[in-house]
Amino acid sequence: MDSDTSRVSSRPSSPEGDDLFLSAVKKSVGFSGAVSSTQSDSPPELRGADMRGISSAEEDSMALKMLSKKDRKLLSENELQSMRLKINSRERKRMHDLNIAMDGLREVMPYAHGPSVRKLSKIATLLLARNYILMLSNSLEEMKRLVSEIYGGGSGAHHAGFHPSSCGTLTHAAAAPLPGHPAAVSHSSHPVHHPLLPPAVSTAASLSGTGLSAVRPHHGLLKAPSAGAGPLGAGFQHWGAGIPCPCSMCQVPPSHVPGMSAVSMPRLTSDSK
DNA sequence: TAGGCCATCTGGTCCT
DNA sequence: AGGACCAGATGGCCTA
């Protein structure tokens, strides 16, 4: 479920109940643990301000400001508290659902899974998913193009060696690489590369300039990088054994699709705290 | 120990 | 009015 809990065992995977209970206990008993000690006895609305180093006198005035006269009349402290708990609970649930969706996304990513492999971070998951989609789109386009070349126009040449499911016969084994295909440029040796990050993106040069270098799986995304075959682990050695290579992965994204850059993902560059 | 990643709380905004 | 969504702040855990 919440895979984060596998890494951080102290965090309950479903804190709905426990955390609510703990929160209530903290408030009623006066919890003075890791959380700011004043949080326990301050109205929920004050905690944010308190955490930012505002005095108790200012807290009071701020609390009065924050609540309209109507609110102050209608809502008792307990009601405000329970409302806060309710809102917090909803927010937790929302974030948990988001994490579940993120885990679902990780599951379908062609990335090395397993206990010895560190889980992809959220940002890495999103970036890889994006490039995975681009790669699949490219594959589809290439497949369409090849099919049209073979069965459509041209000299009607019979392509006896065409096996749609086989990448090798499709392009790699071709005597002359298709124009524009990476094989025509530098694909002969088939270097281990990131199947999800287009070459233009996966290069250190293009990433480091955008502040995305930390996203590259090279950067310690694996618990045991040396254990895998290549910098990306076993799952990334050219799609692993037995998995045909969809050649389009070697291609750069279509020109109309903006590459990973500070422009396409502006917030990523400012992610660092 | 610093930095990365994350969960949680919180207040604000928008939508139904 | 209530809920969803978002972003900032904070603190905990983990790793290099």
Side-chain angles (χ1 to χ4, degrees), chain A residues 45 75 78-88 90:
Chain A
E45 287 77 11
L75 298 178
N78 284 338
E79 285 169 333
L80 286 174
Q81 203 172 75
S82 63
M83 202 191 333
R84 239 310 136 197
L85 289 177
K86 204 171 151 188
I87 293 172
N88 290 349
R90 273 203 308 269

Side-chain angles (χ1 to χ4, degrees), chain A residues 252-271:
Chain A
V252 297
S255 56
H256 64 277
V257 178
M260 276 201 303
S261 66
V263 175
S264 60
M265 280 171 284
R267 296 195 58 197
L268 295 179
T269 57
S270 61
D271 184 56

Side-chain angles (χ1 to χ4, degrees), chain A residues 15-16 19-20 88-96:
Chain A
E16 297 285 322
D19 276 12
L20 275 179
N88 290 349
S89 177
R90 273 203 308 269
E91 178 67 8
R92 268 198 307 271
K93 182 182 181 305
R94 195 181 69 85
M95 296 309 295
H96 289 158

Side-chain angles (χ1 to χ4, degrees), chain A residues 22-118:
Chain A
L22 285 177
S23 299
V25 169
K26 287 175 191 174
K27 290 181 178 68
S28 60
V29 177
F31 179 77
S32 61
V35 194
S36 173
S37 59
T38 54
Q39 284 187 14
S40 57
D41 46 12
S42 300
E45 287 77 11
L46 291 178
R47 281 185 222 128
D50 180 53
M51 288 195 298
R52 297 175 187 98
I54 295 177
S55 68
S56 58
E58 287 169 329
E59 288 176 13
D60 290 338
S61 63
M62 284 187 65
L64 291 177
K65 287 178 185 175
M66 292 165 86
L67 293 175
S68 67
K69 287 183 180 179
K70 183 185 170 186
D71 287 339
R72 271 176 278 164
K73 278 185 181 178
L74 295 180
L75 298 178
S76 69
E77 200 161 315
N78 284 338
E79 285 169 333
L80 286 174
Q81 203 172 75
S82 63
M83 202 191 333
R84 239 310 136 197
L85 289 177
K86 204 171 151 188
I87 293 172
N88 290 349
S89 177
R90 273 203 308 269
E91 178 67 8
R92 268 198 307 271
K93 182 182 181 305
R94 195 181 69 85
M95 296 309 295
H96 289 158
D97 290 344
L98 183 65
N99 286 334
I100 289 172
M102 194 68 74
D103 286 338
L105 187 57
R106 286 189 187 99
E107 285 176 9
V108 299
M109 296 291 292
Y111 192 83
H113 302 281
S116 63
V117 178
R118 180 191 274 186

